[in-house]
Amino acid sequence: MTQIVLAVHGGAGNLTRKQLEYPGRRGYERGLADALRSGQRVLLKGGSALNAVTEAIVILEDNDLFNAGKGAVLCADGSIELSAAIMKGNDRTAGAMVGLKRTKNPIRAARSIMGHAHSLLFGVGADDYAQSKGLDMVPADYFSTPFRRRQWQKLKSKSNAVLDHSDDQAATGTVGAVARDRRGNLATATSTGGMVNQTPGRIGDTPIIGAGSWADNNTCAISATGTGEAFARNVFARRVADLVEIGGLAPLAAAERTLDDIRRDKGVGGCILVDAQGGLALPFNTPHMFRGWLVGDAPPQVAILADEQISID
Ligand code: ASP
């Protein structure tokens, strides 16, 4: 039996040590640790990597500190558009949804279309499909929080779209999870509200399979976060996997090299990755990335700034 491995991220950005002082940062640490514990419960019972990443992401979507599900960032017109993608590594089936406005947990919507003839739905059709699968629907104001409205008001006047966590006060982000289960299967899941003040209708990297997410049992499972346009143009996650499989690079080296390409394209961000042997990599080219991981039944580890590792019991 293989060792179970799970990692999560909550977005990358420019937060400094000063902005991440206690007690403010405690909520993010708890949020990441709760998500890890939820996925760990699934994996320790012999559940699949796919179920583990789904349950970990649901916890983060329900936590309004993160830019996914409840607490997602606002578009330029004040609306909220949610996207998510999920993929499993044994058969490379995937599902993704773009521009959800009513589905409480976008990751469950993405999951609900796996194995269907289509793998990516957008807008009204995406919400309707999720509803037809019996998923929880909520009114649009369920997702919006006072913090996100203030953040949007502040950025609206500047008329540009930014990563939610590149604004001083906006210490939150897109969420992702990768896992390896006892059978050695890999899976990845990513969920986001996109970028603050984005033009309604924008599609970033998160729901694009191969850009924000990729999973293949032969190589690795990856979930990315950062400037979506650069990650999508570089087909980030698939490129990392190809550099491992075809280029023969170690996973961390493959991810760092692809992050260099992102930086060349003026993009910033990072990713979490678990490989077929259970190795973990969590590289990023920003001052911080909310991240956490665990192996077997060990307690979750969480970290935010580049030089940190904290054990949460
Ligand atoms: N990649 C996401 C997007 O561009 C944003 C993020 O990762 O925070 O929509």
Side-chain angles (χ1 to χ4, degrees):
M1 227 170 357
T2 53
Q3 182 76 286
I4 64 155
V5 181
L6 177 66
V8 298
H9 72 73
N14 296 331
L15 293 177
T16 61
R17 199 169 300 280
K18 176 118 197 63
Q19 289 165 327
L20 282 166
E21 273 169 7
Y22 288 101
R25 65 179 283 161
R26 187 84 69 199
Y28 299 103
E29 291 174 357
R30 287 221 178 98
L32 294 166
D34 287 348
L36 286 164
R37 282 196 205 94
S38 164
Q40 184 181 40
R41 276 194 292 277
V42 173
L43 293 169
L44 288 177
K45 276 191 270 174
S48 68
L50 187 69
N51 281 345
V53 294
T54 305
E55 295 315 313
I57 293 293
V58 164
I59 298 286
L60 294 168
E61 287 178 341
D62 290 347
N63 183 332
D64 67 9
L65 290 175
F66 297 96
N67 174 20
K70 188 169 180 57
V73 301
L74 274 58
C75 298
D77 64 355
S79 66
I80 292 179
E81 298 185 340
L82 304 164
S83 297
I86 190 161
M87 184 170 188
K88 60 190 171 99
N90 61 333
D91 59 4
R92 302 205 314 200
T93 53
M97 293 280 175
V98 177
L100 296 167
K101 287 176 180 286
R102 295 190 297 122
T103 307
K104 178 169 175 280
N105 290 110
I107 203 64
R108 292 208 194 283
R111 170 105 187 242
S112 74
I113 199 165
M114 286 180 97
H116 184 272
H118 310 315
S119 53
L120 173 63
L121 296 182
F122 85 96
V124 173
D127 274 318
D128 287 350
Y129 183 84
Q131 187 166 20
S132 77
K133 293 291 166 190
L135 300 188
D136 289 349
M137 295 289 132
V138 289
D141 63 3
Y142 161 82
F143 298 109
S144 156
T145 62
F147 169 70
R148 290 304 189 191
R149 284 194 293 277
R150 280 198 304 277
Q151 177 190 39
W152 168 68
Q153 292 286 354
K154 205 173 119 192
L155 285 162
K156 211 160 57 129
S157 51
K158 297 188 199 154
S159 75
N160 57 344
V162 298
L163 287 175
D164 64 328
H165 28 252
S166 32
D167 173 43
D168 281 359
Q169 304 168 24
T172 63
T174 290
V175 303
V178 293
R180 185 176 76 147
D181 64 30
R182 282 193 175 150
R183 286 176 292 281
N185 287 323
L186 304 180
T188 179
T190 313
S191 181
T192 191
M195 290 171 75
V196 192
N197 206 33
Q198 67 183 9
T199 301
R202 168 190 179 263
I203 300 172
D205 60 318
T206 301
I208 308 297
I209 300 298
S213 311
W214 183 255
D216 183 338
N217 278 5
N218 292 323
T219 50
C220 47
I222 304 165
S223 169
T225 178
T227 325
E229 283 68 14
F231 279 74
R233 274 202 309 281
N234 282 278
V235 201
F236 177 85
R238 176 66 196 249
R239 180 165 158 75
V240 173
D242 281 351
L243 285 173
V244 173
E245 188 174 5
I246 303 166
L249 265 62
L252 177 61
E256 283 177 342
R257 177 160 162 185
T258 313
L259 283 172
D260 287 345
D261 297 337
I262 297 287
R263 199 198 312 262
R264 215 172 35 229
D265 288 353
K266 302 193 174 24
V268 294
C271 70
I272 53 174
L273 176 158
V274 59
D275 69 22
Q277 288 71 44
L280 275 171
L282 302 93
F284 51 103
N285 65 15
T286 43
H288 88 269
M289 181 168 80
F290 291 107
R291 60 202 187 280
W293 62 95
L294 59 80
V295 176
D297 58 4
Q301 308 288 310
V302 297
I304 303 177
L305 296 165
D307 55 354
E308 293 174 351
Q309 178 169 333
I310 301 150
S311 188
I312 302 274
D313 297 319

